[in-house]
Amino acid sequence: MTFLSRTAAEAPEDLRFLNHCIKALANGFVVSVKFDANLVSRVQQANDIVDVVSEHLRLDKKGKEFVGLCPFHQDHKPSLYVSPVKQIFKCFACGAGGDVFKFVQLRENVTFPEAVQRLGERAGIEVAVVEQAPREQGSQADPRMVARANEWAMKLWQTNLTDKEKGAFAREYVESRQINTDSIQRWDLGLAMDTWDGLLTSARQKHIPENLLSQAGLIVRGAEGRTYDKFRHRLMFPIRDVTGRIIGFGGRTLGDDPAKYLNSPATVLFDKSNCLYGLHHARHEIVSGGVAVIVEGYTDVIMAHQFGCGNVVATLGTSLTEGHARILRRYAKRIVLVFDNDVAGQEAANRALEVCLSQKIDIGLAFVTEGKDPCDFLLSAGPEAFRSMVDHAVDVLDFKWRRLVDRMESSDNLQDRKALVEEYLRSISLMERMQGRDPIADGLIRARLREITGLNDAQIRAQMKRYMQTGRKDSLAVRNQRVVSFDLGQGYYAAAQAEVLEVLLNSPGLFAYIPEGFVADDFSVPVLQAIARPMFEMLRSGQELTEQALLRHIEEVEAGALVLALRDKGQQKGHYQERLKTALKTVEQYIGEKQREKILEGLDGDNDAELRRIQELRPPKKLRHPGMRAR
């Protein structure tokens, strides 16, 4: 039975959805979906927003709420607030806000239906898909379909590894690295066969389109036009994002390929500069303990977790980047970088320090002794020695000072020695700018520099001030790309529409003053109409208007954030009944003007009755701005 030929009764829900999406992709379309309102409510109630947000960033209790560094802009002071009572989040710096669905939409760059599906899977709720009319596919790959293709590839490779004959050689290698059976299963290790098109052939048998495999980075096309598997004769390590979704793969050669490790290419899901191997498994222990340990290899991470060191993650064959640092600072108060104790390790540590300092992270450096990598060190010395190494990680100041002294002693060139001192001063200035001035550390630094350079305190402070000012200008040049802005239109009527929503969000009982003829379609500002439509439906049907209930009926993240902004703005103004009456007068006048214009368009010839009606509909010359009293 092929991948697509299973009956609806035989296939689980996620497989039926994948089959349908693959068929649609093969026909050049993607599918739009919707969900039953009761199902959306169940999914929302089953996913506590504090738990979901905590999987993405570190939250600290502050009164009745939780606060953390906002992941939607470069936040250096916790400005994201999460309310467990209201089940909403709001950033008071960039304006992002909404419910648990909006958080997932923003954080993972997915649509509302995808967020419902993702959270449904997280809560173990079967999410039935109701198909709507298809629309033409854009050039951008569908992230969800790419993730499904990755899931299928992982299972294929797992089957290869467990096959008695096919996987024998790979299992021998895994055993030689002392990775146990539990770790093999937990980390979903697999085997890409030593063939050019093993995965491609299997995909064709399942009618999975090559276009999807290419978008997922699972196949490549050679210069001669031939298509073949990206990964061949390799032990496969699935790479998951923090939610558990498979976003890419790493492959370790089992032959003599000079490329020992190979990662997936950049895709709509995968960017190795912003991914950390093992974070899906490590995030809870990192958050609870406050410390993240970064190593360099897949097997280093697996072995650390196998020995009970569950706060270890790895970069993916690249140096530590600002993207890695930004991710980890959402979870950890301190990061310990583990490197080999050789020249290359020292240089890598120095580069990583600059990245961490620029992201305002408390860091330490640990170096594995005896030329071992962390995996071998754990096997020979055990987990307690590894934890001790992490606990005794070198402080930034000590590392930079030792580096300066060692390199100064080995250099007899004046320009080189000057450059070394400048490098040290830049790092110290960066640390002071990001973490604040420590008088004790400052005194120690100046005493050391006086000894090694002959400069006095004033000269040293002047140099540090110069580097701090240069760095501050650089940091101010970084734009905040995620600040939320709203197009609320212009003029009295646009202001009146916003005023109506501000009032009803704070005092839903005043909906009794809304005329029957005033409907959501009368809202001319699109983002306000997106809020008014579900709000009016809820109030007219007698449902309780809560932020949580309203937000689950709103799919657009901008509209979700605006709900909270309008609520806060309206609460500050007060005078709800008076403001609503003023706004409704403006609305009535506007609607009358529109009716007058419509009559004029259809009027042909003299008609005294119609002209009198037009005169009655003419608005007064002066309109009072709604809400003016409270402003």
Side-chain angles (χ1 to χ4, degrees):
M1 184 177 293
T2 67
F3 188 66
L4 293 176
S5 65
R6 299 173 67 182
T7 67
E10 293 170 321
E13 178 59 38
D14 59 343
L15 187 56
R16 291 200 300 274
F17 183 83
L18 177 57
N19 290 347
H20 174 76
C21 287
I22 291 174
K23 285 180 180 177
L25 179 63
N27 293 326
F29 295 93
V30 293
V31 178
S32 177
V33 296
K34 64 179 181 179
F35 302 104
D36 176 78
N38 291 330
L39 174 64
V40 175
S41 178
R42 280 184 59 213
V43 172
Q44 186 184 47
Q45 293 173 12
N47 286 275
D48 182 83
I49 194 168
V50 175
D51 292 340
V52 173
V53 175
S54 295
E55 293 176 355
H56 294 263
L57 56 109
R58 179 183 178 85
L59 291 177
D60 295 313
K61 191 79 182 294
K62 187 175 182 180
K64 295 181 179 180
E65 297 179 327
F66 291 82
V67 298
L69 294 172
C70 178
F72 308 123
H73 75 285
Q74 292 197 11
D75 195 11
H76 296 294
K77 181 180 180 181
S79 47
L80 184 83
Y81 283 69
V82 183
S83 170
V85 176
K86 296 182 178 180
Q87 288 293 297
I88 59 173
F89 76 96
K90 181 174 176 61
C91 176
F92 288 91
C94 75
D99 59 0
V100 68
F101 297 117
K102 306 305 177 295
F103 181 85
V104 172
Q105 283 178 260
L106 278 170
R107 186 71 185 90
E108 300 181 30
N109 193 28
V110 297
T111 64
F112 180 78
E114 289 170 332
V116 175
Q117 185 82 10
R118 190 75 56 80
L119 289 170
E121 292 172 354
R122 179 184 181 276
I125 297 174
E126 183 177 344
V127 177
V129 179
V130 180
E131 298 174 19
Q132 293 178 312
R135 55 183 172 83
E136 291 189 9
Q137 181 190 12
S139 58
Q140 181 74 4
D142 186 330
R144 186 168 176 213
M145 293 177 66
V146 170
R148 296 289 190 181
N150 287 339
E151 187 83 21
W152 171 81
M154 179 197 73
K155 291 177 180 177
L156 175 69
W157 288 327
Q158 284 178 314
T159 301
N160 291 341
L161 183 61
T162 57
D163 185 274
K164 184 176 180 180
E165 296 181 1
K166 291 181 181 180
F169 179 74
R171 289 196 302 274
E172 288 178 5
Y173 170 77
V174 174
E175 290 172 6
S176 71
R177 297 305 305 265
Q178 298 190 41
I179 298 173
N180 62 32
T181 303
D182 289 341
S183 292
I184 292 173
Q185 295 175 351
R186 187 182 189 214
W187 297 91
D188 301 306
L189 302 190
L191 169 64
M193 300 302 297
D194 188 14
T195 61
W196 283 96
D197 57 0
L199 180 138
L200 184 56
T201 299
S202 295
R204 285 169 176 165
Q205 291 172 353
K206 305 294 185 183
H207 299 172
I208 300 175
E210 291 186 14
N211 185 32
L212 178 57
L213 300 178
S214 178
Q215 291 173 344
L218 296 170
I219 61 172
V220 293
R221 187 176 299 276
E224 70 285 356
R226 179 186 176 188
T227 304
Y228 54 89
D229 294 353
K230 170 74 173 178
F231 299 98
R232 304 179 305 278
H233 198 36
R234 290 180 180 272
L235 181 67
M236 299 303 299
F237 300 86
I239 302 167
R240 297 180 182 271
D241 65 11
V242 72
T243 69
R245 177 179 56 172
I246 299 176
I247 57 176
F249 296 92
R252 201 274 186 200
T253 184
L254 297 172
D256 54 3
D257 191 321
K260 186 177 179 181
Y261 282 94
L262 185 66
N263 287 327
S264 292
T267 70
V268 68
L269 291 179
F270 183 67
D271 174 6
K272 65 182 181 181
S273 296
N274 290 287
C275 300
L276 289 159
Y277 182 69
L279 186 58
H280 170 59
H281 290 304
R283 68 188 188 284
H284 292 305
E285 187 158 335
I286 291 174
V287 169
S288 63
V291 178
V293 179
I294 303 179
V295 295
E296 294 184 295
Y298 298 105
T299 55
D300 296 333
V301 173
I302 293 173
M303 194 56 63
H305 284 251
Q306 186 171 303
F307 274 98
C309 304
N311 61 340
V312 179
V313 297
T315 54
L316 300 170
T318 182
S319 300
L320 188 76
T321 67
E322 290 188 5
H324 296 142
R326 279 195 297 270
I327 292 169
L328 284 175
R329 65 191 286 267
R330 299 169 192 153
Y331 302 91
K333 292 181 177 178
R334 176 174 172 80
I335 293 176
V336 175
L337 306 166
V338 179
F339 294 98
D340 295 341
N341 195 18
D342 54 17
V343 175
Q346 294 282 334
E347 291 300 321
N350 191 56
R351 291 192 299 271
L353 276 181
E354 301 299 321
V355 171
C356 289
L357 286 173
S358 68
Q359 292 299 312
K360 196 178 178 180
I361 297 174
D362 178 20
I363 51 176
L365 293 155
F367 296 92
V368 182
T369 58
E370 302 172 9
K372 293 183 172 67
D373 59 25
C375 179
D376 292 333
F377 181 81
L378 279 158
L379 290 169
S380 62
E384 290 307 318
F386 182 82
R387 292 191 184 96
S388 177
M389 177 181 67
V390 170
D391 291 341
H392 293 87
V394 178
D395 179 75
V396 176
L397 288 175
D398 286 341
F399 172 79
K400 296 298 291 187
W401 179 253
R402 292 176 192 176
R403 176 180 169 83
L404 174 63
V405 171
D406 290 344
R407 297 183 70 184
M408 289 276 282
E409 289 178 351
S410 63
S411 173
D412 56 3
N413 182 290
L414 181 61
Q415 285 301 112
D416 289 345
R417 292 164 72 90
K418 179 175 179 290
L420 290 170
V421 173
E422 288 177 341
E423 177 194 321
Y424 179 78
L425 284 171
R426 276 194 298 271
S427 297
I428 300 305
S429 299
L430 178 60
M431 183 178 68
E432 184 172 313
R433 187 173 74 249
M434 292 300 173
Q435 300 182 9
R437 184 178 179 186
D438 182 338
I440 297 176
D442 184 57
L444 178 61
I445 291 167
R446 283 185 290 165
R448 287 174 168 178
L449 285 174
R450 284 198 306 270
E451 179 183 346
I452 203 168
T453 65
L455 297 174
N456 60 38
D457 283 356
Q459 291 171 319
I460 293 170
R461 288 303 305 169
Q463 289 295 316
M464 291 184 68
K465 184 177 181 180
R466 179 167 65 90
Y467 289 123
M468 288 181 69
Q469 290 174 339
T470 302
R472 186 173 290 109
K473 291 177 183 177
D474 293 341
S475 65
L476 289 174
V478 178
R479 292 184 61 200
N480 183 347
Q481 300 290 342
R482 299 308 296 267
V483 172
V484 178
S485 60
F486 310 107
D487 182 6
L488 298 183
Q490 296 180 348
Y492 289 118
Y493 183 53
Q497 295 172 64
E499 195 85 0
V500 170
L501 298 183
E502 286 177 15
V503 169
L504 294 179
L505 283 167
N506 286 280
S507 184
L510 292 177
F511 187 71
Y513 287 91
I514 301 292
E516 284 291 330
F518 183 34
V519 295
D521 288 341
D522 291 322
F523 283 76
S524 61
V525 181
V527 69
L528 296 177
Q529 187 180 101
I531 298 171
R533 193 175 302 281
M535 176 191 286
F536 279 28
E537 289 177 1
M538 292 175 67
L539 290 171
R540 286 205 163 107
S541 64
Q543 298 180 54
E544 183 184 3
L545 182 67
T546 65
E547 291 160 344
Q548 185 180 8
L550 178 60
L551 286 169
R552 66 170 169 260
H553 291 288
I554 296 174
E555 296 193 8
E556 300 82 2
V557 291
E558 293 80 8
L562 182 56
V563 167
L564 304 186
L566 291 172
R567 175 209 61 189
D568 292 345
K569 193 174 182 181
Q571 193 174 55
Q572 291 170 6
K573 294 177 184 178
H575 305 287
Y576 300 131
Q577 187 169 338
E578 181 181 345
R579 284 171 50 222
L580 181 62
K581 288 181 178 179
T582 303
L584 288 176
K585 286 180 181 178
T586 305
V587 170
E588 183 180 357
Q589 292 163 1
Y590 176 85
I591 294 174
E593 177 67 17
K594 287 298 180 182
Q595 290 174 349
R596 189 179 72 86
E597 292 174 0
K598 188 175 182 180
I599 293 171
L600 279 173
E601 290 174 3
L603 198 62
D604 53 351
D606 296 332
N607 189 320
D608 292 341
E610 289 292 346
L611 288 173
R612 281 195 301 272
R613 183 182 170 197
I614 292 169
Q615 187 63 34
E616 291 172 359
L617 290 170
R618 184 183 300 278
K621 291 182 180 180
K622 292 185 179 180
L623 290 173
R624 180 182 176 186
H625 196 294
M628 189 66 74
R629 179 189 184 286
R631 293 177 182 176

mmCIF file of all heavy atoms in Angstrom, residues 25 74 96 114 250 325 327 387 531 575 592:
data_model
loop_
_atom_site.group_PDB
_atom_site.id
_atom_site.type_symbol
_atom_site.label_atom_id
_atom_site.label_comp_id
_atom_site.label_asym_id
_atom_site.label_seq_id
_atom_site.Cartn_x
_atom_site.Cartn_y
_atom_site.Cartn_z
ATOM 1 N N LEU A 25 0.088 20.252 -3.545
ATOM 2 C CA LEU A 25 1.339 20.806 -4.026
ATOM 3 C C LEU A 25 1.660 20.283 -5.417
ATOM 4 O O LEU A 25 2.099 21.011 -6.299
ATOM 5 C CB LEU A 25 2.488 20.465 -3.067
ATOM 6 C CG LEU A 25 3.874 20.981 -3.476
ATOM 7 C CD1 LEU A 25 3.868 22.503 -3.499
ATOM 8 C CD2 LEU A 25 4.937 20.474 -2.536
ATOM 9 N N GLN A 74 14.750 43.478 20.052
ATOM 10 C CA GLN A 74 15.974 43.345 20.845
ATOM 11 C C GLN A 74 15.739 43.952 22.224
ATOM 12 O O GLN A 74 15.978 45.135 22.447
ATOM 13 C CB GLN A 74 17.146 44.008 20.122
ATOM 14 C CG GLN A 74 17.545 43.276 18.851
ATOM 15 C CD GLN A 74 18.921 43.671 18.366
ATOM 16 O OE1 GLN A 74 19.685 44.334 19.059
ATOM 17 N NE2 GLN A 74 19.254 43.253 17.168
ATOM 18 N N ALA A 96 3.680 44.090 20.652
ATOM 19 C CA ALA A 96 3.170 42.753 20.341
ATOM 20 C C ALA A 96 2.269 42.273 21.473
ATOM 21 O O ALA A 96 2.520 42.559 22.644
ATOM 22 C CB ALA A 96 4.330 41.777 20.141
ATOM 23 N N GLU A 114 -2.311 27.042 11.276
ATOM 24 C CA GLU A 114 -1.110 26.280 11.635
ATOM 25 C C GLU A 114 -0.844 26.357 13.136
ATOM 26 O O GLU A 114 -0.400 25.373 13.743
ATOM 27 C CB GLU A 114 0.092 26.804 10.846
ATOM 28 C CG GLU A 114 0.043 26.452 9.365
ATOM 29 C CD GLU A 114 1.111 27.178 8.562
ATOM 30 O OE1 GLU A 114 1.523 28.282 8.961
ATOM 31 O OE2 GLU A 114 1.532 26.628 7.532
ATOM 32 N N GLY A 250 21.376 16.840 10.472
ATOM 33 C CA GLY A 250 22.827 16.770 10.404
ATOM 34 C C GLY A 250 23.208 15.337 10.102
ATOM 35 O O GLY A 250 22.562 14.413 10.599
ATOM 36 N N ALA A 325 22.936 33.430 20.593
ATOM 37 C CA ALA A 325 22.952 34.115 21.891
ATOM 38 C C ALA A 325 21.580 34.692 22.228
ATOM 39 O O ALA A 325 21.127 34.621 23.373
ATOM 40 C CB ALA A 325 24.011 35.220 21.876
ATOM 41 N N ILE A 327 18.700 33.567 21.281
ATOM 42 C CA ILE A 327 17.809 32.465 21.650
ATOM 43 C C ILE A 327 18.052 32.055 23.097
ATOM 44 O O ILE A 327 17.113 31.930 23.893
ATOM 45 C CB ILE A 327 18.024 31.260 20.714
ATOM 46 C CG1 ILE A 327 17.534 31.597 19.294
ATOM 47 C CG2 ILE A 327 17.283 30.028 21.236
ATOM 48 C CD1 ILE A 327 17.937 30.565 18.260
ATOM 49 N N ARG A 387 30.320 18.278 35.304
ATOM 50 C CA ARG A 387 29.610 19.338 36.016
ATOM 51 C C ARG A 387 30.583 20.237 36.768
ATOM 52 O O ARG A 387 30.392 21.463 36.835
ATOM 53 C CB ARG A 387 28.600 18.723 36.993
ATOM 54 C CG ARG A 387 27.432 18.018 36.317
ATOM 55 C CD ARG A 387 26.345 17.673 37.332
ATOM 56 N NE ARG A 387 25.255 16.919 36.729
ATOM 57 C CZ ARG A 387 25.142 15.589 36.740
ATOM 58 N NH1 ARG A 387 26.076 14.863 37.374
ATOM 59 N NH2 ARG A 387 24.133 14.994 36.167
ATOM 60 N N ILE A 531 -11.855 43.272 14.160
ATOM 61 C CA ILE A 531 -12.177 43.135 15.585
ATOM 62 C C ILE A 531 -13.678 43.245 15.809
ATOM 63 O O ILE A 531 -14.268 42.488 16.587
ATOM 64 C CB ILE A 531 -11.441 44.209 16.406
ATOM 65 C CG1 ILE A 531 -9.925 44.030 16.279
ATOM 66 C CG2 ILE A 531 -11.860 44.152 17.874
ATOM 67 C CD1 ILE A 531 -9.114 45.164 16.878
ATOM 68 N N HIS A 575 -14.986 57.424 31.254
ATOM 69 C CA HIS A 575 -16.163 58.113 30.721
ATOM 70 C C HIS A 575 -16.800 57.310 29.590
ATOM 71 O O HIS A 575 -17.119 57.854 28.520
ATOM 72 C CB HIS A 575 -15.792 59.513 30.212
ATOM 73 C CG HIS A 575 -15.109 60.363 31.232
ATOM 74 N ND1 HIS A 575 -15.775 60.923 32.308
ATOM 75 C CD2 HIS A 575 -13.802 60.729 31.351
ATOM 76 C CE1 HIS A 575 -14.904 61.629 33.034
ATOM 77 N NE2 HIS A 575 -13.706 61.516 32.484
ATOM 78 N N GLY A 592 -25.277 58.612 7.400
ATOM 79 C CA GLY A 592 -26.214 59.475 6.691
ATOM 80 C C GLY A 592 -25.586 60.129 5.482
ATOM 81 O O GLY A 592 -26.205 60.230 4.410
#
